[in-house]
């Protein structure tokens, strides 16, 4: 068993389109454990910190507009290799390059409306989780399904 954690965010288009339960279900069905969840209306300052590596990109202003256009669902998942596997579940950043069966492959067509965000490394997951959640919002518990998922 791994206690690796990742940050997965359902973006405003995913929330508005009613995809929350479908997206959460993919992570649950895979066997990952949900340890934090909240609906949030992100501020410009939070998003500037979250997307600090993209601030010099020409699309950054439109990214801020899009990401503040509605609520997002911020989640933290735990499990074996969850950062890498979470990215696989999401699919490629460009939905047109995403395989069918991935979230983006099934629910998105445009990079600018690609439904969700997932941490790209263990280090960025820690940074994003700390940015979006207080320590006391992360719930430690042993899932009753533990023995059915892990050897």
């Amino acid at each position: 068993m791994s206690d690796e954690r990742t940050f997965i965010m359902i973006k405003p288009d995913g929330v508005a389109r009613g995809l929350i339960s479908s997206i959460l279900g993919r992570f649950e069905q895979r066997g990952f454990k949900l340890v934090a969840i909240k609906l949030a209306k992100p501020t410009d300052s939070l998003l500037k910190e979250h997307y600090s590596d993209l601030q010099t990109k020409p699309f950054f202003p439109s990214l801020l507009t899009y990401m503040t256009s509605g609520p997002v669902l911020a989640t933290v998942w735990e499990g074996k290799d969850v950062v890498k596997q979470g990215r696989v579940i999401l699919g490629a950043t460009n939905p047109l390059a995403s395989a069918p069966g991935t979230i983006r492959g099934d629910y998105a067509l445009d990079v600018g409306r690609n439904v969700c965000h997932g941490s790209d490394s263990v280090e960025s997951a820690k940074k994003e989780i700390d940015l979006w959640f207080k320590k006391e919002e992360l719930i430690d518990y042993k899932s009753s399904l533990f023995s059915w998922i892990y050897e």
Side-chain angles (χ1 to χ4, degrees):
M1 164 59 187
S2 169
D3 59 0
E4 183 176 296
R5 289 180 172 174
T6 194
F7 176 76
I8 302 291
M9 174 175 41
I10 303 175
K11 295 178 180 180
D13 55 322
V15 173
R17 293 175 55 200
L19 299 175
I20 290 173
S21 62
S22 298
I23 294 169
L24 296 180
R26 302 239 184 152
F27 286 87
E28 287 180 318
Q29 290 165 357
R30 184 66 188 268
F32 294 119
K33 180 174 75 171
L34 182 65
V35 297
I37 186 169
K38 67 178 162 185
L39 192 64
K41 183 85 164 87
T43 62
D44 278 355
S45 61
L46 175 64
L47 293 167
K48 285 177 181 175
E49 192 169 348
H50 179 89
Y51 290 115
S52 60
D53 59 324
L54 302 177
Q55 287 193 37
T56 60
K57 302 287 186 185
F59 62 82
F60 190 72
S62 63
L63 175 64
L64 283 181
T65 300
Y66 157 58
M67 291 299 296
T68 58
S69 67
V72 301
L73 190 75
T75 66
V76 178
W77 295 88
E78 183 177 285
K80 187 175 186 178
D81 202 27
V82 71
V83 173
K84 180 181 174 190
Q85 296 307 311
R87 302 276 298 178
V88 171
I89 292 167
L90 295 181
T93 301
N94 180 348
L96 296 178
S98 292
T102 65
I103 292 167
R104 291 175 178 145
D106 291 347
Y107 300 125
L109 293 171
D110 190 19
V111 171
R113 299 290 182 270
N114 67 0
V115 180
C116 43
H117 163 86
S119 301
D120 61 6
S121 69
V122 172
E123 296 77 26
S124 66
K126 178 163 179 19
K127 175 187 161 238
E128 292 169 354
I129 292 166
D130 290 347
L131 183 63
W132 287 83
F133 290 93
K134 297 174 187 162
K135 184 177 168 94
E136 61 269 15
E137 293 176 307
L138 302 170
I139 308 302
D140 284 316
Y141 65 99
K142 184 173 180 181
S143 169
S144 60
L145 300 176
F146 180 87
S147 65
W148 295 108
I149 296 169
Y150 297 100
E151 292 183 293

